Amino acid sequence: MPLKADLDAIDWKILRELQHDGRMTNVELSGRVGISAPPCLRRIRRLEETGIIRGYRALLNAPALGLDVVAFCLIGLHHQADAELKTFAERTRGWPIVRDAWMVSGESDFLLHCVASDLGAFQTFVIEELASAPNVDTVRTALTIRRVKDEGLVAFSEVRP
């Protein structure tokens, strides 16, 4: 698969380092990738402006905040016309319990990553919001036991030329 961005070895190093630790200073980053701070900052800005770096965020410890239930929901819709898919996708944006949502192929139409304070809150969401939403045909849920891997979204061995 061809790359959609023109990146050199330094750009790849910058991306790898920032995905691992997005809080490091530009000076620290420049040292790690082997260039001085001003061109490092220019490269970061270019990566941000072109949308390769979409943003920065803190990774929160959900259980420490009282959010102990993590679950996935597979949603099947009655109708899969483009307008119906867009309507459901937009609806997911209004559900705070849904932290990530994907349109998928196969037997289901959407995969939702949900985080809730407890099983009762999750069940209430599934029954009162999700299953009763217009055009929803099936809802299959999977409660997680524990997270076994937590990596950045990009595996550099998969994308680097």
Side-chain angles (χ1 to χ4, degrees):
M1 181 169 87
L3 289 177
K4 297 179 181 180
D6 185 23
L7 304 174
D8 65 15
I10 299 294
D11 291 329
W12 285 106
K13 288 179 183 178
I14 289 170
L15 293 172
R16 184 179 298 111
E17 293 294 334
L18 286 177
Q19 181 172 261
H20 178 71
D21 180 5
R23 287 193 56 171
M24 77 176 72
T25 67
N26 183 56
V27 171
E28 183 180 350
L29 177 60
S30 67
R32 288 187 184 189
V33 301
I35 61 175
S36 63
C40 186
L41 187 57
R42 284 193 296 273
R43 285 172 177 264
I44 292 168
R45 296 288 182 250
R46 180 177 52 82
L47 293 167
E48 291 169 346
E49 290 166 3
T50 59
I52 291 170
I53 295 176
R54 296 185 308 130
Y56 304 88
R57 57 172 68 157
L59 301 175
L60 306 180
N61 181 337
L65 298 170
L67 300 167
D68 293 320
V69 174
V70 176
F72 291 90
C73 299
L74 285 163
I75 310 304
L77 302 180
H78 288 289
H79 307 285
Q80 292 80 23
D82 190 52
E84 300 286 349
L85 294 168
K86 287 178 180 176
T87 297
F88 185 82
E90 184 60 35
R91 183 178 301 279
T92 66
R93 292 179 183 90
W95 290 325
I97 200 169
V98 176
R99 303 313 306 153
D100 214 357
W102 295 87
M103 188 182 300
V104 296
S105 64
E107 293 181 25
S108 298
D109 299 303
F110 287 88
L111 173 67
L112 309 181
H113 172 208
C114 301
V115 179
S117 57
D118 55 46
L119 188 55
F122 176 68
Q123 289 173 328
T124 298
F125 165 73
V126 169
I127 294 166
E128 295 181 10
E129 298 284 336
L130 192 52
S132 65
N135 196 33
V136 169
D137 181 32
T138 60
V139 176
R140 293 189 347 242
T141 62
L143 293 171
T144 63
I145 297 169
R146 71 175 154 261
R147 175 177 262 164
V148 297
K149 185 174 181 178
D150 184 14
E151 298 291 331
L153 291 179
V154 175
F156 287 92
S157 61
E158 295 296 317
V159 297
R160 181 134 187 239

